[in-house]
Amino acid sequence: MHHEAEQPEPPLEPKLVGAAALLRAGRPFFSGLGCRQQNDQTESTTMHTFSAVIERCPETGLLVGYVPGFPGAHSQGETLDELQANLEEVISMLLEDGEPALESDFVGLQQISVPA
């Protein structure tokens, strides 16, 4: 009797999705940690890109956003566009003090399903 060696299945990769897409779909989401990415847009301009966690405050109905691991990088707004503009303003002001010492790195979002 010949048994072929079973190949172990590769580990499942978490499905990463945009928080705004989940929010617009009315679905809850879990956040990872904060992260900074630098992207060169032109030779003279460096852009900083941060991942923000967005939640809706049950008491006020406002959207609240923050960059995990980036102290002070938080704001709120009535719409996603307003929140984004507010976060951009806050982060720009924080960056005027120099590069932040981030306390953690963004890993991603992962949806978890458990029996009801």
Side-chain angles (χ1 to χ4, degrees):
M1 205 155 136
H2 175 29
H3 290 23
E4 290 185 27
E6 290 186 28
Q7 295 290 333
E9 292 186 27
L12 294 176
E13 293 292 325
K15 181 178 179 183
L16 302 179
V17 293
L22 289 172
L23 185 64
R24 285 191 174 124
R27 296 172 55 193
F29 61 93
F30 300 93
S31 73
L33 303 172
C35 164
R36 177 192 67 224
Q37 301 169 348
Q38 292 186 3
N39 301 317
D40 289 327
Q41 297 289 324
T42 65
E43 289 182 24
S44 62
T45 304
T46 299
M47 297 294 292
H48 296 277
T49 301
F50 298 90
S51 297
V53 174
I54 303 168
E55 301 172 332
R56 185 176 303 279
C57 176
E59 296 170 5
T60 65
L62 293 173
L63 298 172
V64 178
Y66 63 95
V67 178
F70 191 163
H74 54 86
S75 191
Q76 62 185 23
E78 291 185 6
T79 66
L80 287 172
D81 290 337
E82 180 182 6
L83 174 59
Q84 180 167 340
N86 292 345
L87 283 170
E88 287 173 1
E89 181 179 359
V90 167
I91 292 169
S92 292
M93 290 188 319
L94 291 168
L95 290 174
E96 288 175 5
D97 294 333
E99 288 294 315
L102 298 179
E103 298 172 350
S104 57
D105 292 321
F106 182 78
V107 175
L109 303 172
Q110 186 169 359
Q111 191 169 15
I112 309 297
S113 299
V114 297

